[in-house]
């Protein structure tokens, strides 16, 4: 979730893949012992995340003495893990699919979904221990996702004008999206969240009455509460651009499998999984009363594949093939990613430059990645953990390599109506390990769960036969007012052959991290936003678009024209970049030629007003009284009251809905347009974005640093992997839509 009160200070090309290199088991005795323990028994089945969660639950149960109370009131310290009413969303692989499904049901799980041996469910915390000892379970992990945040009713957001939608609606036929249904996927829709006490905060019922969302919106699955109702925030923005469009919603927060099925459900795609294939269950869901004509989401699951189409990408590609254009937020991770071919660096005994081998006697081979792109060898990458004001720095790393994910390949076989045996899977076990500044392995998070003041890491999964992903985390407690602390990353092949390509994207949950060396500044818009038939959307703040250049209704110190010189907009500093190669197809077979989709495809506008979602921006004066944001520290000498300023919705989560709404206007003019035609017209009519906001300069001038230019891809004028084809222009797009025959 990206909430922006004020703007904060804030690829490599693919070479020939390294041949696979056979490796022995990891050589360091202490590391090997620690990893073997993490990957064995119930720890191995529940994995590091669920094992830590179970430890928290058991400790709470012991201290309180009441099982139910410990379950329903537990507040986990694990980053990104969602608990609702004493239950956790999880997914994984079964040894025996039907038996595990029966066990989950008997343990009180709900939202159970299964295709072959791939499953997901919401499970009571009290059942984790029993699940971990089940013979029918191979491996489970929490379903970890994040929304990508950073109405022609009573509240009209600035994104409407930013994409030039009023001009499109003013054309002779008055295009407003009438009759074109837009399906939305996010966390929740009608939980009734409150962001800022005293600020404008419409309830779902008030939004319907005020027509800030579709009064007759069809909610197929709201998802569990509490939730942020980001889906309703997206509906606010859609209502501004396409006020005539009916709306539908399905949560994307149960699991990746449920997300994919929700996409098919919104599109009205009938059950396409064959009932007669051995070991294959047809998922149960209801076809909606009216199918969606356009679909948009703003969710990323951290373990979505980076180098192949995952479950969500396959579902999105499928509905696009069925004629439903699919839009997704590009993400809010800028260029914060490491990506490289795997380069083997073999260390022996105590010869490591940075890492301590302890009391290992004699040579002990350990195959690691060499981060040094030159002639030297550097088997670690140094980074700083920068604590927040509480002294904490917590970062989750999605680390992946170019081998199949069995969850994805099994889904692909099911989607094709084939047996899932055999489904291609990872053939290597690769570990993402974190060390302190002295090269000592950071302790693994204890089985009793996380506690205040602890510094530990979550990692260690046996990937062979499963997914080529390691979800790792650094939990650095630190102390208030303590400065940054240095850590080191090492990539270790613990089993199987070395991978060809590796990549990770970090997600900060407290504080932040900063690489000190070997920063490849690679793409971060991975997963389904990088899907072949998906249109991902970058973000430009409304106040940095041409429509608001010099607008006196916006109180600001931003120099007039500072961002709109030779461009229509300035890209948000956090907007994710693409240029991520797809190396494997959905069945896990290596492509003859890597596929690099246009990602992002284009740019939309974020920072719009909503009726409830987010916090007020420092750059608008909603009641025109000469004062603005009660949170601002630099725009006006006198600040407004919180109840007078509407909340603003920032992030690519906000830019994607307004572009999806423009597609609805286009389909109103010509219902026969294919998704590819819609994408092409939007691309052809978009306006160039030539600058990325590089951060706020808090000196006396109060200006912005706009030094990060955006370069077009060589040989492709008008396209880059930061803003796509440019800022969407609704009027130009409508005028370019051919009349139906």
């Amino acid at each position: 979730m990206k909430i922006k009160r004020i703007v904060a200070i804030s690829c490599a090309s693919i070479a020939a893949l390294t041949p696979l290199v056979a490796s022995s088991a990891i050589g360091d005795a202490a590391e090997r012992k620690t990893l073997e323990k993490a990957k064995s028994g119930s720890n191995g089945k529940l994995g590091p995340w669920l094992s830590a969660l179970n430890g928290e639950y058991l400790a709470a149960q012991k201290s309180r003495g009441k099982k139910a109370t410990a379950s329903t009131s537990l507040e986990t310290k694990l980053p990104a893990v969602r608990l609702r009413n004493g239950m956790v969303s999880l997914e994984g692989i079964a040894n025996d699919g039907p038996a595990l499904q029966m066990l989950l049901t008997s343990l009180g799980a709900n939202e159970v979904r299964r295709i072959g041996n791939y499953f997901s469910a919401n499970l009571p915390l009290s059942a984790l221990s029993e699940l971990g000892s089940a013979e029918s379970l191979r491996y489970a992990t929490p379903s970890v996702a994040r929304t990508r945040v950073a109405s022609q009713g009573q509240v009209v957001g600035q994104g409407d004008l930013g994409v030039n939608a009023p001009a499109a609606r003013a054309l002779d036929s008055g295009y407003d999206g009438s009759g074109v249904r837009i399906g939305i996927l996010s966390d929740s829709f009608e939980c009734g969240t409150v962001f800022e006490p005293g600020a404008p905060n419409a309830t779902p019922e008030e939004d319907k009455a005020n027509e800030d969302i579709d009064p007759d919106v069809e909610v197929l699955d709201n998802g569990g509460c509490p939730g942020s109702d980001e889906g309703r925030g997206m509906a606010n923005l859609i209502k501004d651009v396409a006020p005539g469009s009916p709306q539908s919603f399905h949560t994307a927060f149960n699991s990746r499998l449920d997300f994919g099925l929700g996409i098919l459900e919104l599109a009205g795609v009938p059950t396409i999984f064959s009932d007669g294939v051995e070991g294959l269950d047809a998922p149960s869901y209801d076809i909606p009363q009216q199918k969606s004509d356009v679909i948009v989401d703003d969710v990323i699951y951290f373990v979505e594949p980076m180098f192949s189409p995952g479950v969500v990408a396959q579902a999105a590609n499928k509905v696009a093939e069925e004629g439903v254009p699919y839009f997704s937020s590009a993400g809010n991770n800028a260029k914060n990613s490491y990506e490289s071919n795997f380069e083997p660096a073999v260390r022996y005994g105590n010869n490591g430059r940075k890492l301590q081998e302890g009391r290992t006697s004699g040579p002990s081979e350990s195959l690691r990645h060499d981060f040094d792109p030159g002639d030297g060898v550097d088997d670690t990458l140094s980074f700083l953990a920068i604590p927040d004001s509480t002294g904490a720095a917590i970062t989750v790393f999605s680390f992946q390599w170019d081998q199949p994910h069995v969850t994805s390949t099994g889904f692909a076989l099911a989607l094709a109506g084939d047996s899932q045996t055999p489904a291609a899977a990872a053939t290597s076990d690769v570990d993402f390990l974190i060390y302190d500044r002295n090269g000592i392995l950071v302790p693994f998070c204890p089985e009793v769960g996380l506690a205040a003041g602890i510094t530990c890491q979550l990692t260690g999964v046996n990937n062979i036969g499963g997914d080529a992903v390691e979800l790792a985390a650094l939990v650095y407690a630190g102390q208030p007012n303590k400065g940054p602390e240095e850590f080191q990353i090492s990539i270790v092949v613990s089993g199987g052959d070395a991978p060809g390509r590796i990549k990770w994207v970090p997600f900060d949950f407290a504080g932040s991290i900063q690489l000190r060396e070997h920063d490849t500044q690679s793409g971060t818009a991975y997963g389904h936003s990088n899907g072949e038939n998906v249109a991902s959307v970058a973000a430009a703040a409304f106040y940095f678009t041409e429509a608001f250049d010099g607008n006196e209704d916006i109180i600001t110190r931003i120099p007039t024209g500072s961002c709109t010189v030779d461009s229509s907009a300035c890209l948000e500093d956090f907007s994710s970049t693409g240029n991520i190669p797809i190396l494997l197809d959905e069945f896990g077979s290596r492509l003859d030629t890597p596929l690099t989709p246009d990602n992002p495809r284009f740019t939309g506008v974020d920072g719009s007003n909503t009726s409830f979602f987010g916090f007020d921006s420092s750059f608008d004066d909603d009641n025109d009284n000469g004062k603005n944001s009660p949170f601002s520290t630099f725009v006006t000498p006198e600040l407004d009251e919180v109840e007078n300023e509407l909340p603003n919705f920032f992030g690519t989560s906000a830019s994607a809905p307004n572009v999806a709404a423009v597609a609805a206007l286009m389909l109103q003019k010509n219902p026969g347009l294919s998704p590819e035609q819609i994408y092409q017209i939007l691309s052809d009519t978009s306006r160039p974005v030539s600058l990325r906001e590089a951060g706020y300069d808090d000196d006396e001038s109060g200006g912005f640093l706009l030094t990060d230019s955006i370069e077009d891809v060589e040989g492709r004028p008008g396209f880059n992997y930061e803003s796509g084809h440019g800022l969407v222009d609704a009027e130009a797009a409508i005028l370019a839509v051919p009349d139906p025959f």
Side-chain angles (χ1 to χ4, degrees), residues 386-388 390 392-395 507-513:
I386 305 171
D388 60 17
T390 70
I394 300 174
T395 298
F507 297 87
D508 295 324
F509 284 83
S512 62
I513 67 163

Side-chain angles (χ1 to χ4, degrees), residues 139-472:
Y139 175 75
T141 184
S143 296
V144 182
R146 173 181 274 185
T147 53
R148 285 164 157 165
V149 184
S151 83
Q152 295 300 85
Q154 288 192 359
V155 177
V156 180
Q158 298 92 332
D160 180 44
L161 182 58
V163 296
N164 202 21
R169 293 194 301 272
L171 295 173
D172 290 344
S173 298
Y175 301 108
D176 67 353
S178 292
V180 182
R181 181 171 291 272
I182 300 177
I184 304 166
L185 295 120
S186 189
D187 64 339
S188 64
F189 197 90
E190 47 192 15
C191 288
T193 186
V194 175
F195 280 89
E196 186 71 25
N201 189 73
T203 65
E205 293 73 23
E206 289 169 338
D207 268 348
K208 292 178 182 179
N210 296 332
E211 297 192 354
D212 282 320
I213 62 174
D214 175 14
D216 299 315
V217 60
E218 183 180 12
V219 178
L220 301 176
D221 185 348
N222 181 63
C225 295
S228 74
D229 283 4
E230 195 159 320
R232 181 159 55 100
M234 295 168 70
N236 262 220
L237 305 181
I238 289 169
K239 186 69 171 174
D240 296 340
V241 176
S245 287
Q247 299 173 344
S248 296
F249 176 81
H250 192 292
T251 184
F253 255 43
N254 285 333
S255 67
R256 284 181 295 160
L257 180 54
D258 189 70
F259 188 178
L261 297 179
I263 292 170
L264 300 175
E265 184 176 355
L266 280 170
V269 174
T271 303
I272 40 72
F273 299 100
S274 303
D275 288 317
V277 180
E278 182 181 356
L280 185 64
D281 290 334
S284 60
Y285 59 80
D286 297 325
I287 299 300
Q289 296 178 7
Q290 300 181 64
K291 80 176 187 68
S292 296
D293 304 291
V294 178
I295 296 179
V296 60
D297 84 82
D298 73 334
V299 171
I300 175 70
Y301 275 83
F302 296 170
V303 296
E304 288 188 51
M306 295 177 178
F307 298 120
S308 60
V311 171
V312 183
Q314 291 176 46
N317 286 335
K318 176 67 177 178
V319 300
E321 291 170 0
E322 297 288 328
V324 180
Y326 195 98
F327 297 85
S328 182
S329 53
N332 306 320
N333 292 85
K335 306 173 187 177
N336 193 15
S337 172
Y338 177 88
E339 183 177 337
S340 171
N341 288 337
F342 183 89
E343 299 292 345
V346 179
R347 296 191 297 117
Y348 296 91
N350 296 325
N351 296 330
R353 184 175 71 84
K354 291 186 177 182
L355 304 184
Q356 305 297 318
E357 293 286 354
R359 298 182 178 179
T360 304
S361 59
S364 74
E365 183 179 354
S366 173
L367 182 61
R368 300 174 187 263
H369 172 59
D370 178 10
F371 290 95
D372 190 340
D375 296 331
V377 175
D378 191 352
D379 57 13
T380 65
L381 182 149
S382 174
F383 71 95
L384 293 178
I386 305 171
D388 60 17
S389 59
T390 70
I394 300 174
T395 298
V396 175
F397 299 86
S398 179
F399 166 67
Q400 303 192 26
W401 56 99
D402 60 339
Q403 291 178 3
H405 292 223
V406 72
T407 52
S408 302
T409 57
F411 186 83
L413 290 169
L415 202 61
D418 296 331
S419 170
Q420 294 179 82
T421 305
T427 56
S428 297
D429 185 14
V430 188
D431 290 300
F432 184 100
L433 297 176
I434 301 175
Y435 301 78
D436 68 14
R437 63 167 61 241
N438 297 314
I440 305 298
L441 187 69
V442 172
F444 282 25
C445 294
E447 296 176 18
V448 296
L450 300 183
I454 193 172
T455 295
C456 63
Q457 64 177 310
L458 289 160
T459 193
V461 173
N462 185 356
N463 306 100
I464 296 175
D467 290 350
V469 57
E470 186 86 6
L471 193 64

Side-chain angles (χ1 to χ4, degrees), residues 411-622:
F411 186 83
L413 290 169
L415 202 61
D418 296 331
S419 170
Q420 294 179 82
T421 305
T427 56
S428 297
D429 185 14
V430 188
D431 290 300
F432 184 100
L433 297 176
I434 301 175
Y435 301 78
D436 68 14
R437 63 167 61 241
N438 297 314
I440 305 298
L441 187 69
V442 172
F444 282 25
C445 294
E447 296 176 18
V448 296
L450 300 183
I454 193 172
T455 295
C456 63
Q457 64 177 310
L458 289 160
T459 193
V461 173
N462 185 356
N463 306 100
I464 296 175
D467 290 350
V469 57
E470 186 86 6
L471 193 64
L474 172 66
V475 179
Y476 171 57
Q479 296 176 357
N481 303 317
K482 182 177 174 62
E485 180 66 26
E486 181 183 2
F487 293 90
Q488 302 174 66
I489 293 167
S490 185
I491 305 302
V492 184
V493 180
S494 296
D497 293 331
R501 191 79 175 167
I502 61 173
K503 180 181 181 68
W504 76 69
V505 175
F507 297 87
D508 295 324
F509 284 83
S512 62
I513 67 163
Q514 178 181 326
L515 299 188
R516 302 187 66 195
E517 56 183 352
H518 311 313
D519 189 354
T520 62
Q521 292 280 296
S522 302
T524 55
Y526 73 93
H528 67 279
S529 64
N530 199 37
E532 184 176 5
N533 297 331
V534 174
S536 62
V537 184
F542 74 86
Y543 47 79
F544 272 153
T545 62
E546 194 171 25
F548 288 90
D549 187 19
N551 191 319
E552 295 181 357
D553 292 335
I554 306 299
I555 297 178
T556 178
R557 289 187 185 179
I558 303 170
T560 300
S562 65
C563 182
T564 56
V565 176
D566 299 326
S567 67
S568 60
C570 175
L571 200 67
E572 290 276 24
D573 62 335
F574 53 72
S575 193
S576 286
T577 58
N579 198 20
I580 302 172
I582 302 299
L583 304 176
L584 310 172
D585 67 16
E586 65 270 32
F587 300 106
S589 299
R590 191 166 297 275
L591 298 173
D592 293 334
T593 302
L595 171 68
T596 308
D598 285 3
N599 174 30
R601 293 238 188 191
F602 14 70
T603 299
V605 176
D606 75 330
S608 293
N609 286 335
T610 70
S611 65
F612 78 99
F613 191 84
F615 298 89
D616 182 52
S617 167
S618 296
F619 304 111
D620 60 356
D621 177 21
D622 295 319

